[in-house]
Amino acid sequence: MSSSTHSRIPCPPWSRICAFLRKTVVLLWLLLSSFSLPLTQAQPKIPLETVKLWADTFGEDLYNTVTKYSGSLLLQKKYKDVESSLKIKEVDGLELVRKFSEDMKNMLRSKVEAIKRLVEAAEEADLNHEFNKSLVFDYYNSVLINERDENGNYVELGAEFLLESNAHFSNLMVNTSISNIQLPTNVYNKDPDILNGVYMSEALNAVFVENFQRDPTLTWQYFGSSTGFFRLYPGIKWTPDENGVITFDCRNRGWYIQAATSPKDIVILMDVSGSMKGLRMAIAKHTVSTILDTLGENDFVNVIAYNDYVHYIEPCFKGILVQADQDNREHFKQLVEKLMVKGVGIVNQALSEAFEILKQFQEAKQGSLCNQAIMLITDGAVEDYEPVFEKYNWPDRKVRVFTYLIGREVSFADRLKWIACNNKGYYTQISTLADAQENVMEYLHVLSRPMVINHDHDIIWTEAYLDSKLFASQAQNFLLLTTVAMPVFSKKNETRSHGILLGVVGSDVALRELMKLAPRYKLGVHGYAFMNTNNGYILSHPDLRPLYREGKKLKPKPNYNSVDLSEVEWEDQAENLRTAMINGDTGSLSMDVKVPLDKGKRVLFMTNDYFFTHINDTPFSLGVVLSQGHGEYILLGNTSVEEGLHDLLHPDLSLASEWIYCVTDIDPDHRKLSQLEAMVRFLTREDPDLECDEELVREVLFDAVVTAPMEAYWTGLALNMSEESESVVDMAFLGTRAGILRRGLFVGSEKVSDKKFLTPEDKASIFTMDRFPLWYRQAAEQPAGSFVFNLRSAEAPEGPGEPVVVTASTAVSVTVDKKTAIAAAVGIQIKLEYLQRKFWAATQQCSGVDEPCQTSCQDSDLDCFIIDNNGFILISERPEEIGRFLGEVDGAFMTQLLSMGVFSQVTMYDYQAMCKPPDNNQNAAQSLTSPIRAFLAATKWLLHELLLFLLEWSVWGTWYEDSGAEAKTVFHHSHKQKKQDVLQPCDTEYPVFVHQTAVQEANGIIECGLCQKIFVTQRIPNSNLLLLVTDSTCDCSIFPQVLQEATESAHNTSVKCERMRSQKLRQRPDTCHAFHPEENAKECGGTSDISASLPLLLLLLCSWTLLLQHLR
């Protein structure tokens, strides 16, 4: 009986029962047929010996081709010839990490010395400066420099300012002879405080220049003033954003806040009672967001909303404080945006809750163990709150209370000021969105008083962060930085008790420059160095991925600088490595790891040795990783300078451009030299001032001599190639441990299929600071004499469907005294069509010499594939399948190979992934089912926007003309972000499939319901490839695909909450400045000036209230 007969069941009106019956009958029929029905057609036979013959023939052809064109046997012989003069030294990992750490400490110390000179100069200049309220002073405004008016004259504060490109500053246009001044849009550039501060800080120009001359490795130096201006050296042209606004304010940068204050525990209390609706709620939300922006990873925080009752905006954080890292700050901001107003505000219970949290954390020795503060954000408070303070805070007043009165109503101003003044805090009134930034900053000045009065110049180092200026200029390489900063105080006796913070000086250190002190060649093929902070966050690591792609743009991930060490070195399940490094220990441990390669498509199984130590005088620790086996040894050769120089100057040779062979960034005359040019000058003694790594230079000379014959070999092959042989190989290449790269072309450069290969456009194919090339790393783990084949798509403007090529590479090893080291890797780029021709020809072979072949891959009833050891298809009869994963093409086949142990599935984890948030289908459904509700909501939103617009632009009577633009940007930027940020950080897991090398061949039958599918697999000798032959007549589509896709790790609510609440081990900063007996606590704020049009404000608010009531 045919399946079509069974499907003709007449359908009753109830369609669900009909569909169920159909499915049931079909499934039962398939199940029974798989047991009882005979095969409906003859199964093709696949002789095992024939498949083995095909694999051996193809493998032999491959081996002969790649050895011939790569010259791998010649290179192996050349190293063998000099083996007697070679030494293989075992690497002492602990000695190495200590040496690197000492070099880094010395480099960082020189930055600290530069900062100290700036602090001394700034404080001396302030001591000698008398404030002049009527001071008139022209300075270089970084936005206005070189700008002219319609008459061709320079605008005010915008005189001529010479700029030239400077390689040391990422080729930006700068002036290294002088600094200039940047101000955010909402700071008036001629305010007396600004003019006096700028005039006073002119004294820093000479120190900036002197510092740069003393230490040419210095990058940006700057002074951020507490009044809001930012003096930057070298001077630069600052460009506003697309709205013409300068939002950068030095005072809310991490380096400023950490230097200006000690660590702190903060509880933010936000009034969400009914009176906070409309504009007040928008201002309150922006105020909370601004406070959160002032916190860093050494601080702890929670946000509580209150009305009739108290509720934690993140229920998971009930009763605790959490570290104010970027993850948690962004999480709080998102939750604050969702808050709604209702009920009556009762502040007493909210204050009691906040005091309880702070008390419990202090007693449990948790949190910052330094400053504690409560931030009260409300439009008024009517209760008798004095008993709360008597119970929890008086008489010691160890918790400061800062109050923020929202809106223009002043009825409750005296009450809120009393709260602040009686709890060593500060009171401000915030009546517009633009008020928030300046008023929030006041709390930092209060917290800085004890440190200022003591004149404690604490040195702080920040977590890693992206250079926003470089990122905005769309530089090719993102630049991760850390900043060293120190506070600047007023030393005038008459203001001592006021504790006046003048600002913060700082200087950036590019982490790539720091990591260059751990030279790549000393770490082996798979080794690397990394750094983490006292909080366990990654400062630098080859696997740190701070950016993600959204459309065509690269953007920083929201949590890029709060990636924990345990999320990158995730095999460290017990966190032994993390604990030791955070404790500042020196030591080592070993760990079995799975190393992802090729964007997660492949994996290497390795045992790594980790060596670690603390970098003295910093909050950082350094780790060095060496892979066991060949990674523990370094090859040492020797040759004469004359011979080495001769072979070094061949045109086919290049050096790793990111490695430091010679120091070229100190002397301006050296900055234009390539590493190869600098090395030649050093070796010829043409430039005695050049400093070079002599050990690395020796290795380069030796490798150049040993590999020199390869150029002549490749050239000879190229000269003897016919037109037919040109369609075989594009190029040969080799790399050595010293970073040498040689390339020999067999076709014209315009005919090379993959033009990005071995160029900086394809980072994975060249030596970088972080990694050896992918083809080198894979070859190093292949058996001796075996080649690893990788399919590469040749990208072109025409898009997919372009020709593809295959790289084949093998490692060249040297053994001395039973120690084996990898000396080099060599390979070719071979055309895929040539491999296909060779393969189809090989499958014409048969075991009987005189008999015609009974079976061939050309037969219509057979499918033949060549796949690599990770299951990706290199050869198939169907071009569209090339490059795809086998499980995607034939799920039944891959499932069977997995069940037989031919392949194994390895689960990998990615804790830096970005995922789409789950769709909120319920909200969407509501709006569809209720058009009237949707219309009313839209009308309400439009009125809300209109009100904010009118309030922002019509009512800001006291602001200077430019100040409104900043607030517009702040408010509207938040809406823009919601639309664009479609991805969010998440944890994912994904499978990688690996061939089990012990299984050389396999065969079997797959039961596919109506038929049986026969298959044979055979390993291809001297390669990482497998031949798969299977029956194409049996349809196994009932099997699902086996996909190599990442899926978001599913955590149930309790597990997710537990992870969020967990307090990982961290080291607190050494110093704390919470209180000082001479502190003048009477300076606790005042009422804001109000000169806006009160009638207009009342009219707008009344209209708003009436309209909302009508809509409801």
Side-chain angles (χ1 to χ4, degrees):
M1 189 178 290
S2 68
S3 60
S4 59
T5 306
H6 284 279
S7 66
R8 295 195 190 101
I9 297 174
C11 282
W14 47 92
S15 57
R16 287 186 182 178
I17 296 176
C18 173
F20 173 75
L21 287 172
R22 280 179 175 172
K23 288 180 181 178
T24 304
V25 170
V26 170
L27 287 171
L28 283 171
W29 176 75
L30 283 172
L31 187 63
L32 290 170
S33 65
S34 66
F35 288 103
S36 60
L37 291 180
L39 296 180
T40 58
Q41 50 187 306
Q43 291 294 124
K45 293 183 179 179
I46 308 177
L48 302 185
E49 65 277 5
T50 301
V51 175
K52 187 174 189 311
L53 176 66
W54 293 348
D56 290 345
T57 303
F58 182 54
E60 185 178 352
D61 285 345
L62 269 187
Y63 184 75
N64 291 338
T65 300
V66 293
T67 52
K68 172 185 174 182
Y69 286 101
S70 68
S72 59
L73 299 179
L74 173 63
L75 186 60
Q76 183 73 65
K77 180 179 182 302
K78 291 300 176 185
Y79 275 102
K80 188 74 176 174
D81 290 345
V82 296
E83 204 169 79
S84 59
S85 65
L86 295 177
K87 291 181 181 177
I88 293 182
K89 183 178 76 172
E90 189 167 355
V91 180
D92 185 334
L94 275 178
E95 182 186 332
L96 205 61
V97 76
R98 286 191 181 109
K99 171 70 167 59
F100 293 166
S101 169
E102 187 66 21
D103 291 344
M104 290 179 179
K105 183 192 78 171
N106 292 336
M107 176 187 175
L108 297 177
R109 182 188 291 159
S110 70
K111 315 305 176 193
V112 172
E113 294 303 320
I115 290 302
K116 287 181 177 178
R117 289 190 287 271
L118 287 171
V119 170
E120 291 170 6
E123 292 183 347
E124 188 64 25
D126 175 69
L127 195 60
N128 297 325
H129 175 73
E130 290 293 330
F131 185 85
N132 180 359
K133 190 174 183 179
S134 57
L135 177 67
V136 176
F137 175 63
D138 285 337
Y139 58 89
Y140 290 111
N141 184 304
S142 62
V143 176
L144 301 176
I145 53 170
N146 299 331
E147 296 289 329
R148 297 177 185 267
D149 58 22
E150 60 273 12
N151 300 318
N153 300 317
Y154 287 111
V155 299
E156 194 175 15
L157 302 182
E160 182 180 12
F161 193 81
L162 297 177
L163 296 169
E164 60 182 6
S165 177
N166 191 306
H168 186 65
F169 293 94
S170 303
N171 293 313
L172 293 173
M173 301 293 288
V174 299
N175 186 327
T176 54
S177 63
I178 195 169
S179 63
N180 60 9
I181 303 297
Q182 177 270 340
L183 298 104
T185 300
N186 65 321
V187 175
Y188 181 47
N189 59 24
K190 285 190 175 182
D191 184 279
D193 287 333
I194 296 294
L195 290 176
N196 277 269
V198 170
Y199 180 79
M200 177 274 293
S201 64
E202 285 285 298
L204 296 181
N205 273 319
V207 187
F208 285 143
V209 174
E210 181 191 352
N211 279 344
F212 191 44
Q213 289 171 346
R214 285 191 186 193
D215 180 5
T217 65
L218 277 172
T219 55
W220 306 102
Q221 304 173 67
Y222 38 81
F223 169 64
S225 167
S226 60
T227 57
F229 73 83
F230 181 57
R231 180 177 286 280
L232 177 65
Y233 173 87
I236 191 171
K237 174 75 173 175
W238 203 284
T239 307
D241 65 16
E242 64 270 16
N243 297 309
V245 174
I246 304 291
T247 56
F248 178 91
D249 189 327
C250 62
R251 295 168 298 176
N252 63 14
R253 307 299 283 180
W255 52 267
Y256 185 99
I257 294 161
Q258 289 180 48
T261 63
S262 295
K264 46 201 171 290
D265 297 337
I266 301 285
V267 179
I268 301 173
L269 301 180
M270 184 176 174
D271 185 350
V272 291
S273 62
S275 63
M276 288 287 289
K277 63 188 175 184
L279 179 63
R280 290 183 180 179
M281 194 58 177
I283 295 172
K285 288 178 178 180
H286 183 50
T287 302
V288 174
S289 181
T290 306
I291 292 171
L292 289 169
D293 282 338
T294 66
L295 304 179
E297 59 183 35
N298 290 319
D299 304 319
F300 287 77
V301 67
N302 206 335
V303 182
I304 296 175
Y306 72 91
N307 41 33
D308 308 87
Y309 64 95
V310 170
H311 87 271
Y312 291 82
I313 67 169
E314 172 49 80
C316 180
F317 295 159
K318 184 176 182 179
I320 65 167
L321 298 173
V322 294
Q323 197 170 2
D325 58 29
Q326 196 152 342
D327 260 349
N328 287 331
R329 295 199 307 267
E330 290 302 317
H331 184 60
F332 278 130
K333 286 181 188 178
Q334 291 171 11
L335 295 173
V336 165
E337 282 299 315
K338 297 176 183 176
L339 291 175
M340 307 291 287
V341 298
K342 66 176 180 179
V344 179
I346 302 176
V347 73
N348 278 7
Q349 55 189 12
L351 283 169
S352 297
E353 186 73 15
F355 277 117
E356 281 291 340
I357 297 173
L358 295 171
K359 177 185 174 185
Q360 289 170 15
F361 253 57
Q362 189 75 15
E363 289 174 351
K365 302 295 182 185
Q366 292 180 304
S368 70
L369 298 184
C370 193
N371 287 293
Q372 291 196 319
I374 296 171
M375 309 296 201
L376 177 60
I377 300 164
T378 180
D379 63 347
V382 295
E383 311 106 284
D384 180 16
Y385 26 73
E386 196 168 329
V388 178
F389 299 125
E390 287 177 345
K391 178 180 179 181
Y392 290 103
N393 209 36
W394 293 349
D396 295 335
R397 293 172 170 82
K398 290 184 177 180
V399 178
R400 298 181 190 267
V401 182
F402 297 88
T403 54
Y404 300 90
L405 179 60
I406 303 299
R408 296 183 177 274
E409 178 61 55
V410 295
S411 304
F412 298 101
D414 289 342
R415 290 171 178 264
L416 291 178
K417 185 173 181 180
W418 182 90
I419 292 174
C421 294
N422 283 278
N423 291 279
K424 290 189 176 180
Y426 199 87
Y427 157 78
T428 61
Q429 184 168 5
I430 303 177
S431 51
T432 69
L433 288 167
D435 285 344
Q437 182 73 43
E438 290 294 320
N439 286 310
V440 164
M441 288 297 161
E442 293 294 344
Y443 97 85
L444 295 175
H445 300 154
V446 174
L447 292 186
S448 69
R449 282 178 192 160
M451 178 174 61
V452 177
I453 296 170
N454 261 345
H455 285 180
D456 289 321
H457 290 95
D458 293 340
I459 300 163
I460 68 98
W461 290 92
T462 68
E463 68 276 15
Y465 67 95
L466 282 168
D467 186 334
S468 56
K469 188 66 186 171
L470 272 185
F471 201 79
S473 67
Q474 297 179 341
Q476 283 290 326
N477 296 322
F478 66 87
L479 196 61
L480 277 172
L481 307 171
T482 180
T483 290
V484 57
M486 289 177 68
V488 180
F489 312 136
S490 171
K491 289 185 173 181
K492 294 176 180 176
N493 287 329
E494 60 269 26
T495 59
R496 177 177 173 81
S497 66
H498 297 271
I500 295 176
L501 175 74
L502 299 176
V504 173
V505 295
S507 181
D508 295 340
V509 179
L511 290 170
R512 288 183 71 82
E513 296 303 312
L514 194 59
M515 296 310 290
K516 284 178 182 177
L517 297 175
R520 193 71 199 75
Y521 76 97
K522 292 192 174 185
L523 305 177
V525 181
H526 303 293
Y528 56 90
F530 65 94
M531 293 173 65
N532 63 276
T533 69
N534 59 301
N535 287 296
Y537 296 141
I538 291 293
L539 200 67
S540 178
H541 195 292
D543 292 330
L544 178 65
R545 307 191 313 274
L547 305 178
Y548 74 103
R549 188 171 295 280
E550 189 172 270
K552 294 183 178 179
K553 289 186 177 180
L554 281 175
K555 299 177 68 175
K557 294 177 182 175
N559 61 337
Y560 74 89
N561 62 355
S562 56
V563 176
D564 196 83
L565 178 61
S566 61
E567 295 175 325
V568 178
E569 298 288 349
W570 52 266
E571 302 276 12
D572 182 25
Q573 302 283 327
E575 297 195 356
N576 294 326
L577 175 66
R578 184 185 187 277
T579 301
M581 293 189 71
I582 286 178
N583 287 335
D585 297 341
T586 297
S588 65
L589 57 83
S590 297
M591 198 155 49
D592 292 327
V593 297
K594 296 186 279 285
V595 181
L597 292 178
D598 200 8
K599 299 178 181 177
K601 288 161 58 176
R602 313 179 192 283
V603 65
L604 293 178
F605 299 91
M606 317 202 68
T607 301
N608 284 343
D609 291 329
Y610 290 78
F611 304 91
F612 44 85
T613 191
H614 185 65
I615 302 175
N616 292 331
D617 304 325
T618 76
F620 308 141
S621 288
L622 173 68
V624 163
V625 180
L626 301 175
S627 60
Q628 288 186 7
H630 58 77
E632 299 172 303
Y633 302 110
I634 186 166
L635 183 67
L636 301 175
N638 209 350
T639 190
S640 69
V641 171
E642 293 75 16
E643 188 180 7
L645 260 177
H646 175 268
D647 292 326
L648 191 62
L649 296 175
H650 286 187
D652 75 315
L653 183 146
S654 62
L655 297 177
S657 60
E658 295 183 10
W659 292 16
I660 302 300
Y661 298 86
C662 297
V663 179
T664 57
D665 63 344
I666 292 182
D667 190 329
D669 293 334
H670 295 157
R671 287 182 187 147
K672 294 179 181 178
L673 297 176
S674 69
Q675 287 294 316
L676 185 55
E677 290 167 340
M679 193 188 301
V680 171
R681 285 196 180 196
F682 172 75
L683 291 169
T684 57
R685 308 198 178 192
E686 184 182 340
D687 194 334
D689 294 331
L690 267 169
E691 293 180 33
C692 296
D693 185 329
E694 295 190 21
E695 182 182 339
L696 180 54
V697 169
R698 276 198 307 272
E699 296 310 308
V700 168
L701 291 177
F702 173 75
D703 285 347
V705 170
V706 178
T707 60
M710 301 300 291
E711 183 189 27
Y713 177 81
W714 292 335
T715 302
L717 283 177
L719 292 174
N720 292 318
M721 285 179 72
S722 62
E723 285 189 18
E724 183 180 340
S725 57
E726 273 194 9
S727 61
V728 177
V729 178
D730 281 354
M731 72 172 76
F733 53 86
L734 68 82
T736 74
R737 180 167 173 149
I740 283 181
L741 200 59
R742 285 190 186 272
R743 186 177 77 151
L745 293 180
F746 298 126
V747 295
S749 57
E750 73 284 352
K751 292 184 180 180
V752 173
S753 304
D754 185 1
K755 294 181 174 60
K756 290 185 178 180
F757 186 63
L758 301 184
T759 71
E761 287 185 78
D762 181 14
K763 291 276 189 185
S765 69
I766 62 172
F767 292 94
T768 66
M769 256 193 66
D770 296 328
R771 298 290 190 199
F772 273 51
L774 175 63
W775 48 267
Y776 197 126
R777 297 172 69 198
Q778 286 184 281
E781 299 312 305
Q782 280 289 110
S786 177
F787 283 81
V788 60
F789 291 80
N790 261 351
L791 184 70
R792 290 180 58 87
S793 296
E795 297 176 12
E798 292 81 4
E802 285 296 300
V804 287
V805 292
V806 173
T807 59
S809 57
T810 187
V812 176
S813 59
V814 176
T815 301
V816 177
D817 297 332
K818 297 182 181 179
K819 299 173 184 174
T820 300
I822 302 294
V826 62
I828 58 171
Q829 191 180 87
I830 190 169
K831 292 185 185 295
L832 180 61
E833 58 185 340
Y834 170 77
L835 289 187
Q836 290 171 327
R837 288 201 311 271
K838 281 289 184 183
F839 173 66
W840 300 125
T843 61
Q844 299 297 322
Q845 305 289 321
C846 47
S847 52
V849 177
D850 299 325
E851 300 174 10
C853 292
Q854 298 297 317
T855 308
S856 166
C857 276
Q858 304 292 337
D859 295 348
S860 60
D861 55 2
L862 287 185
D863 267 346
C864 297
F865 301 98
I866 294 292
I867 66 170
D868 66 22
N869 59 318
N870 296 113
F872 291 94
I873 299 171
L874 273 75
I875 297 177
S876 168
E877 290 179 276
R878 295 169 289 279
E880 67 274 10
E881 293 176 350
I882 295 173
R884 293 167 65 187
F885 178 61
L886 177 66
E888 182 186 348
V889 172
D890 192 332
F893 202 170
M894 195 67 212
T895 301
Q896 188 69 17
L897 294 179
L898 286 167
S899 67
M900 293 174 65
V902 178
F903 273 80
S904 63
Q905 179 177 323
V906 180
T907 301
M908 302 289 285
Y909 298 92
D910 183 1
Y911 297 104
Q912 301 177 67
M914 297 292 289
C915 302
K916 287 185 178 180
D919 294 330
N920 194 347
N921 296 322
Q922 185 179 357
N923 290 350
Q926 279 186 350
S927 63
L928 287 171
T929 54
S930 179
I932 296 173
R933 183 183 295 175
F935 171 76
L936 292 175
T939 307
K940 178 180 174 181
W941 178 83
L942 285 170
L943 289 168
H944 180 253
E945 291 286 313
L946 176 63
L947 176 70
L948 289 176
F949 175 81
L950 291 170
L951 285 171
E952 287 175 18
W953 295 105
S954 304
V955 199
W956 289 353
T958 61
W959 284 86
Y960 297 104
E961 59 184 8
D962 291 335
S963 62
E966 188 268 345
K968 178 186 174 188
T969 301
V970 167
F971 183 74
H972 293 286
H973 184 64
S974 65
H975 292 279
K976 187 176 178 183
Q977 286 295 102
K978 286 179 192 174
K979 292 178 184 176
Q980 289 182 346
D981 290 346
V982 295
L983 299 178
Q984 62 186 21
C986 62
D987 300 341
T988 62
E989 55 185 69
Y990 60 95
V992 178
F993 300 89
V994 182
H995 173 242
Q996 298 303 295
T997 53
V999 183
Q1000 298 287 321
E1001 57 185 34
N1003 63 88
I1005 297 175
I1006 306 170
E1007 297 288 347
C1008 296
L1010 291 176
C1011 60
Q1012 294 176 326
K1013 190 183 186 95
I1014 301 173
F1015 70 90
V1016 176
T1017 72
Q1018 183 72 47
R1019 187 173 180 186
I1020 295 172
N1022 300 313
S1023 75
N1024 66 324
L1025 303 178
L1026 286 91
L1027 167 60
L1028 309 182
V1029 182
T1030 182
D1031 166 21
S1032 64
T1033 62
C1034 180
D1035 180 10
C1036 284
S1037 57
I1038 61 169
F1039 280 81
Q1041 291 176 309
V1042 178
L1043 301 176
Q1044 194 179 24
E1045 288 184 344
T1047 56
E1048 187 169 356
S1049 301
H1051 303 297
N1052 64 43
T1053 306
S1054 62
V1055 171
K1056 188 173 181 180
C1057 179
E1058 188 59 36
R1059 288 185 63 190
M1060 292 170 70
R1061 288 176 65 95
S1062 65
Q1063 304 281 333
K1064 282 183 173 287
L1065 177 70
R1066 55 185 294 274
Q1067 282 288 342
R1068 294 179 179 84
D1070 295 331
T1071 57
C1072 170
H1073 309 282
F1075 296 100
H1076 194 284
E1078 296 178 28
E1079 180 182 345
N1080 181 5
K1082 293 180 181 179
E1083 286 192 6
C1084 51
T1087 310
S1088 300
D1089 294 329
I1090 302 175
S1091 61
S1093 172
L1094 192 59
L1096 175 60
L1097 179 67
L1098 292 172
L1099 176 63
L1100 286 166
L1101 288 175
C1102 289
S1103 302
W1104 166 251
T1105 306
L1106 289 170
L1107 282 166
L1108 281 183
Q1109 288 174 349
H1110 179 68
L1111 287 172
R1112 288 185 183 125

